[in-house]
Amino acid sequence: MINKKKCVAMLLAGGQGSRLGVLTKHRAKPAVTYGGKYRIIDFPLSNCIHSGIDTVGVLTQYEPLELNSYIGTGAPWDLDSMNGGAFVLPPFVKGERGEWYSGTANAIYQNIYFIEQYDPEYLLVLSGDHIYKMDYSLMIAAHEKTGADATIAVIQVPMEEASRFGIMNTDEDMRIYEFEEKPKKPKNDMASMGVYVFSWRKLRSYLDADAKDEKSSNDFGKNIIPKMLEKNEKMYAYPFKGYWKDVGTIFSLWEANMELLQEQPELDLYDEPWRIFSRNPNMPPHFVEKNAKVKNSLVSEGCHIYGTVENSVLSAGVVVERGALVRDSIIMQQTRVGEGSKIIMSIVDEEVNIGNDCTVGGGGEITVVGGGAVIKDEVVIEAGESVNAKRVVKNTAGGGRK
Amino acid sequence: MIRDAFGLIYAGEQNINLRELVYLRTVGALPVGGRYRSIDFVLSNMVNTGIHNVGVIAQRSYHSLMDHLGSGKEWDLSRKSDGLFILPPYSSSENMGSYRGIVDAIKGVMGYIRRSKQQYCIFSGSYTIYNRTYDDMLKYHIDTGADITMLYNEEEADSFKGERFKDVRIHQNEEGRVIDLEINSPLTDSKKAGMDTYVIRKELLEYLVEDCVSRGKYNFVSDLLMNNLNRIRIMGFKHEGYVGRLHSVASYYKLNMDFLDVDVQQDLFYANNRIYTKIKDEVPAKYAKTSNVKNSLIANGCIIEGEVEDSILFRSVYVGKGAKIKNCVIMQDSEIYNNSTLEYVILDKSVNIRQGRRLVGDEVFPVVIRKGAIV
C-alpha cells in the first residue's frame, strides 16, 4: 500500500467543554484561545508534526464551524502534505442511517475506514483539551519496546488532586493492572493524560466488539480500557515529565494564561525546534502609545494600547483606549476596551465592545464576557458574573446592571 | 478585482545610498515597519487587486529575497496555474547575467512576459511603500486611452533632504497627459512624485523594450519613458494617502518612524487591505515587570525588560534590564543586554549589543550596525 503509515493520530475534538461556560457556547473547547495567539488544538497538532506524525484525523461534533475553518487544509501546522495531512472528520450518514458520535471509542469506530486507508501499525489517540509539548515518537518507541497492546501516557499530579483524574495503578515495570476513573481514594498519583498508543489490529477487534455491545457507552475510559485490562492485554503506562495543563474550567484557563507571565514559565514557547504553530491573523506589530503603560503582560500583533495593561494576556487586534485599565485579565481577539473602563481579573472573549467608563470584574472570582457582546457605557459587571455572548447589555440610571 | 493583468516587480534595485543595509540584500528585501520587507507592500497590493500571476525580477544578492518569498504561499500565490515566479538572471547568448538597466532586466524575462496570458501588466519597483489596489488606476488607463499610466503622489521636492534615489518628477497638461519628466532634479518645481508603478499593455511593453534594447538604451525612465513622451500617450494617476520611499539611510529611518503615526498605521494597515508577509509563528511580545515602553511599535516574539521609547522593534528582539532604547530601529533577532543605551541607531538583524554599551547617532545620520555584528 502506497499510503501505508506506521502511525495515524486521531484527535478527539468533539467535546463541548461545558465547564468553560459562555466561552464554549459557540465553539468547541479545542478552539478556545490561549496565550494571546494559540488555540488549545495547536498544541496536539504541533506535537504531531514535530513527532513525525503527518496524518491526523480531527474528530469534531460540537459547534464545529469555528474549528473546521481554523484547521482548514492544515497548512499552518505543515499538515497539508501529499500523502496525509489534517482531516476534519465530522459524523456522517452511512448507508441508510446517520448517527452522532456516541462516545470517544465510537468516534474512532465510525472512522475505521479512514484509518484503514493507511493500514497503520499504531493508532495514537489524542484529546484536544490540554496544553503541553510532548514528543509522541518517544512514546511510540516505548510502546514498541515493551511490545504492548496499549500504552497510556501518565503524569504525576498532586495527591490531593488525584481524585479528579483517571488514575493508573501499575506494577514496578509500569504495566497497568488497574484503571480507576476519578477514584475517591486514589492509590497513587499517576493520572492519565488522555494520550493513548494502541496497536491498531488489537484495538480494532475491541472496537468491533464494543460496537456490538448495546450496554456500552462506547468510551475509552469507561469501556475499552477496562475491557482490555479484564482480558489481560499488555498495557503499559508511559510516564511523561513536563508541563501539562487541563484547561477545562474558567479558573484553570485563566491560571494557565497567568503562568505564561512568570519570569521563566514552565512551558517554553520560545523553543525553536518545537515551535507551536497556529493560524496567523497577519496583522502589523502592536502599537504602544506615549501615555500607555504595559507591565508583566503578553501582547499580540495588531493591538493598540493607549491605557494601562498589567499582568494580562492580549490577543491580536485588541484596543485598550485612553485611561482604561486591564489587570490580571485575558482579552481575546479584536476586543475593544473603551476609555476609562476597568477590566479586573476577567476573561473577555473575541470581538467584544466594551464602552467607556465600564467596570468588569473586581477580583475574588473570575468574570467572563462572551464573544460579540456589546457593553454600553458605564455598565458595571460584578466579579464572578458571566455575561452571555451576543447579548447587549444596557446601562441603568443608577449604574450597575440588574 | 482585476483578472486581466499580471504583475511584474523589479526587485533588483541597487541603491548604494542605503549603505550597509543593502550590502547583503536587495532593496526589496529590506525589513521595514517591524515585520515586513519593502516588497511585501507592492506584492500585497497586487494580490489584493486580484492579480494571481506575479513575476519578481531578482538581480544581485537575491538570496534573502528568495528566502522571504518562498513559494508565495503567504501571499496566496502558490497556485497550479500562474502564481509567483521569481526570475533571477541567467547567462544567455544575449545576456551575461548582469543587467545594464531595468529595460535590459525586462528584456531578460521576456519569456515570462510572453507566456503570461493576461493583457495588462502592472510594473513596479520594490522601494515604494503604500497600500492601494490598482482597479481604479487600470480603469483610468482604459478610459483615457493611455499607453502607459504612471502612479504618483504629491510630495514637496525638499521634503526629503540629502540623497535621492529614482526621484521622478512629473509635469502634466490639463487632461493629465505627462508632458515632461525629471529625474533626481534639485531644481524641480513639480510636486508630483512618481511612485515607480506603471500600467501598460503587454504587447506595448514588449515592443518598447525591444525598441530600446535594439538602440542600446537600457534605462526605464530616461530611455523608455522620456524618449517616448511625444510618441506614446503617458498619463499620470494620483494616489492619495501615505507613500514611503527608500532613498537613503536617512529616509529609511524616517519611513520607519512614520509607522509610529497612528494615521499612517491606519492608512497602511487597517483602512484598506491587509499587507501579507512571511509568517514566523512567534510568541506574543512579553513585557516584564521592569519594562517601560512608550510610543513604539513592537512585533511578536520580543522580550522587553528595559526601556523603549519612540522605536520600532522587529520580531524576537530582546531588551535587557536597565537598557535604554530611544529613536531606534531594531531588526529581527537582535539582542540588547542590560544597561546599554542606544539612540538614533539602526540595528540590522541578529546584532548583539553587550552589557553597558552606548551608541548614539543623529536623526539625519543614524548609526547603522551591520547584520550579525557583536558590539
Side-chain angles (χ1 to χ4, degrees):
Chain A
M1 189 181 277
I2 290 168
N3 273 346
K4 185 171 168 59
K5 300 277 176 190
K6 186 176 163 194
C7 183
V8 166
M10 295 294 267
L11 208 167
L12 301 161
Q16 179 184 357
S18 54
R19 287 175 300 158
L20 286 170
V22 294
L23 296 177
T24 50
K25 196 161 191 299
H26 295 286
R27 68 170 75 86
K29 181 176 161 187
V32 168
T33 302
Y34 160 82
K37 78 173 286 188
Y38 308 98
R39 307 278 177 157
I40 298 170
I41 200 170
D42 289 333
F43 289 84
L45 287 176
S46 302
N47 287 341
C48 277
I49 196 75
H50 293 314
S51 303
I53 296 165
D54 65 0
T55 308
V56 185
V58 182
L59 300 151
T60 62
Q61 175 155 293
Y62 173 79
E63 288 285 348
L65 179 65
E66 192 167 320
L67 199 54
N68 291 357
S69 60
Y70 185 71
I71 292 167
T73 60
W77 304 270
D78 235 353
L79 282 168
D80 55 339
S81 62
M82 194 99 113
N83 302 310
F87 298 88
V88 176
L89 303 169
F92 58 97
V93 176
K94 297 156 217 58
E96 285 174 0
R97 61 199 188 98
E99 53 186 327
W100 296 104
Y101 296 146
S102 58
T104 51
N106 179 256
I108 305 288
Y109 175 75
Q110 289 200 39
N111 288 288
I112 278 181
Y113 293 110
F114 167 78
I115 298 163
E116 291 282 341
Q117 289 180 84
Y118 301 100
D119 187 24
E121 279 165 61
Y122 308 112
L123 189 78
L124 175 68
V125 177
L126 304 167
S127 79
D129 298 346
H130 306 116
I131 308 279
Y132 64 111
K133 295 194 305 183
M134 181 177 180
D135 189 342
Y136 303 132
S137 69
L138 299 176
M139 184 178 170
I140 294 164
H143 179 87
E144 281 183 307
K145 201 175 164 204
T146 56
D149 299 304
T151 302
I152 301 172
V154 292
I155 188 158
Q156 206 169 12
V157 293
M159 202 62 198
E160 59 273 20
E161 286 178 33
S163 58
R164 285 175 40 222
F165 297 93
I167 298 295
M168 299 292 159
N169 296 318
T170 65
D171 58 25
E172 275 149 33
D173 66 350
M174 297 312 281
R175 183 158 174 176
I176 302 166
Y177 65 85
E178 191 186 18
F179 168 70
E180 292 182 291
E181 181 71 44
K182 296 180 182 144
K184 288 212 175 64
K185 283 188 183 151
K187 294 192 186 86
N188 73 66
D189 55 1
M190 300 295 250
S192 166
M193 295 165 63
V195 176
Y196 309 91
V197 176
F198 293 100
S199 294
W200 170 238
R201 289 288 129 212
K202 186 68 89 178
L203 177 66
R204 182 164 177 177
S205 66
Y206 277 88
L207 289 174
D208 286 335
D210 180 69
K212 292 194 186 89
D213 181 359
E214 283 179 15
K215 288 191 200 111
S216 172
S217 45
N218 310 122
D219 188 87
F220 275 102
K222 286 193 197 110
N223 308 104
I224 303 287
I225 306 294
K227 204 67 155 197
M228 288 180 82
L229 281 169
E230 200 179 288
K231 295 263 173 75
N232 209 24
E233 303 288 4
K234 280 180 89 178
M235 300 173 79
Y236 284 84
Y238 174 79
F240 170 78
K241 285 194 176 60
Y243 186 89
W244 178 81
K245 187 106 182 170
D246 183 346
V247 286
T249 62
I250 293 289
F251 181 78
S252 62
L253 178 66
W254 178 83
E255 189 183 50
N257 277 280
M258 293 301 137
E259 280 166 1
L260 288 175
L261 300 178
Q262 293 161 359
E263 205 161 325
Q264 287 291 339
E266 206 187 329
L267 179 70
D268 178 14
L269 293 171
Y270 297 90
D271 183 358
E272 192 75 50
W274 211 274
R275 261 297 131 102
I276 303 303
F277 300 131
S278 64
R279 191 169 285 279
N280 204 287
N282 225 325
M283 294 182 86
H286 71 262
F287 178 62
V288 178
E289 202 240 15
K290 64 178 191 295
N291 298 309
K293 210 172 127 187
V294 186
K295 302 271 180 206
N296 200 41
S297 294
L298 279 175
V299 181
S300 199
E301 59 199 66
C303 288
H304 276 76
I305 317 288
Y306 301 94
T308 301
V309 177
E310 291 171 358
N311 307 324
S312 295
V313 177
L314 270 53
S315 289
V318 167
V319 179
V320 178
E321 302 281 10
R322 279 192 186 84
L325 168 69
V326 176
R327 181 183 288 156
D328 302 328
S329 295
I330 299 157
I331 315 285
M332 296 183 187
Q333 276 195 53
Q334 308 290 344
T335 282
R336 177 183 163 271
V337 179
E339 285 179 27
S341 287
K342 285 185 178 59
I343 317 291
I344 314 286
M345 206 175 163
S346 299
I347 301 178
V348 183
D349 203 345
E350 293 174 14
E351 293 177 32
V352 171
N353 194 341
I354 296 171
N356 300 336
D357 303 311
C358 295
T359 304
V360 176
E365 268 183 275
I366 295 160
T367 311
V368 186
V369 181
V374 178
I375 314 289
K376 296 271 175 72
D377 292 353
E378 294 172 34
V379 164
V380 176
I381 298 173
E382 308 283 349
E385 263 195 85
S386 177
V387 177
N388 218 335
K390 312 286 180 203
R391 202 172 108 199
V392 178
V393 181
K394 294 195 180 77
N395 57 327
T396 48
R401 191 172 62 85
K402 294 285 171 297
Chain B
M1 293 287 276
I2 298 177
R3 286 314 215 170
D4 204 19
F6 68 100
L8 189 60
I9 300 173
Y10 178 70
E13 284 113 341
Q14 266 317 87
N15 180 0
I16 53 161
N17 298 340
L18 287 161
R19 307 201 305 261
E20 296 94 327
L21 297 172
V22 291
Y23 280 1
L24 292 168
R25 58 168 82 90
T26 60
V27 177
L30 200 55
V32 292
R35 74 175 286 186
Y36 303 94
R37 305 280 187 147
S38 63
I39 197 172
D40 290 341
F41 290 84
V42 262
L43 192 55
S44 299
N45 288 341
M46 288 179 178
V47 170
N48 289 330
T49 305
I51 293 169
H52 52 77
N53 177 15
V54 181
V56 175
I57 305 176
Q59 196 170 353
R60 305 177 193 89
S61 46
Y62 52 81
H63 285 178
S64 69
L65 187 72
M66 291 189 66
D67 172 54
H68 178 67
L69 297 175
S71 66
K73 192 162 80 173
E74 271 123 347
W75 294 264
D76 211 11
L77 284 173
S78 174
R79 300 297 184 97
K80 265 199 169 161
S81 60
D82 291 339
L84 179 73
F85 298 88
I86 298 173
L87 308 163
Y90 58 92
S91 301
S92 69
S93 57
E94 297 172 20
N95 194 305
M96 298 308 288
S98 157
Y99 298 131
R100 284 160 286 193
I102 293 179
V103 174
D104 197 23
I106 302 173
K107 164 81 179 161
V109 300
M110 209 51 117
Y112 163 76
I113 296 172
R114 277 196 209 100
R115 277 195 308 276
S116 293
K117 295 180 279 291
Q118 294 81 6
Q119 195 186 344
Y120 293 97
C121 176
I122 312 272
F123 177 66
S124 177
S126 58
Y127 85 109
T128 49
I129 281 152
Y130 59 94
N131 185 340
R132 71 141 46 236
T133 56
Y134 300 113
D135 302 75
D136 49 355
M137 186 176 171
L138 184 71
K139 185 174 183 300
Y140 175 87
H141 179 82
I142 294 166
D143 290 350
T144 56
D147 292 314
I148 294 177
T149 299
M150 53 193 296
L151 195 62
Y152 72 89
N153 74 320
E154 295 216 337
E155 187 173 289
E156 296 289 344
D158 59 0
S159 67
F160 41 93
K161 298 171 188 77
E163 303 136 314
R164 287 149 197 267
F165 178 68
K166 287 213 278 186
D167 178 25
V168 177
R169 293 285 157 173
I170 297 174
H171 298 268
Q172 286 172 295
N173 66 13
E174 308 80 59
E175 65 152 347
R177 181 168 174 175
V178 176
I179 49 169
D180 196 13
L181 288 168
E182 297 161 278
I183 186 157
N184 297 340
S185 164
L187 308 169
T188 187
D189 59 353
S190 170
K191 286 181 189 167
K192 296 171 180 174
M195 286 164 63
D196 205 19
T197 305
Y198 308 88
V199 175
I200 181 168
R201 232 178 48 251
K202 180 182 130 168
E203 287 88 13
L204 183 63
L205 178 67
E206 287 172 339
Y207 169 78
L208 290 173
V209 167
E210 296 290 3
D211 185 54
C212 275
V213 171
S214 67
R215 289 159 212 269
K217 308 270 190 196
Y218 302 108
N219 195 302
F220 191 81
V221 177
S222 60
D223 297 327
L224 193 145
L225 296 180
M226 283 181 190
N227 280 347
N228 287 314
L229 279 173
N230 298 321
R231 208 148 67 106
I232 58 174
R233 190 171 155 83
I234 300 177
M235 302 294 286
F237 184 74
K238 187 175 171 187
H239 170 80
E240 309 279 354
Y242 179 81
V243 182
R245 290 178 173 84
L246 296 167
H247 289 287
S248 61
V249 170
S251 80
Y252 172 82
Y253 177 78
K254 180 186 173 295
L255 167 80
N256 277 284
M257 289 301 140
D258 285 346
F259 282 84
L260 295 177
D261 181 332
V262 178
D263 293 333
V264 172
Q265 286 174 25
Q266 193 64 27
D267 185 88
L268 282 180
F269 298 123
Y270 298 101
N272 304 305
N273 294 291
R274 286 283 158 88
I275 302 298
Y276 307 102
T277 190
K278 188 176 175 181
I279 285 163
K280 303 226 189 262
D281 289 288
E282 299 289 356
V283 186
K286 186 169 184 183
Y287 292 77
K289 291 192 178 84
T290 49
S291 74
N292 187 3
V293 178
K294 305 275 176 212
N295 192 38
S296 294
L297 205 61
I298 314 286
N300 277 0
C302 289
I303 299 176
I304 305 172
E305 294 168 356
E307 290 178 32
V308 179
E309 199 177 341
D310 306 324
S311 294
I312 314 285
L313 268 54
F314 284 68
R315 288 180 277 199
S316 299
V317 167
Y318 170 72
V319 181
K321 288 192 183 79
K324 286 189 174 63
I325 301 197
K326 198 168 173 354
N327 297 309
C328 290
V329 178
I330 314 287
M331 289 189 212
Q332 193 181 314
D333 294 326
S334 283
E335 296 173 318
I336 299 115
Y337 286 93
N338 297 0
N339 305 317
S340 282
T341 301
L342 304 182
E343 266 183 68
Y344 295 108
V345 172
I346 298 171
L347 292 192
D348 207 319
K349 285 168 75 174
S350 307
V351 172
N352 188 324
I353 305 286
R354 297 271 173 82
Q355 288 198 22
R357 297 292 192 265
R358 190 177 157 79
L359 290 171
V360 181
D362 186 85
E363 187 171 1
V364 291
F365 206 90
V367 174
V368 180
I369 307 291
R370 68 172 165 75
K371 186 174 171 178
I374 296 169
V375 179

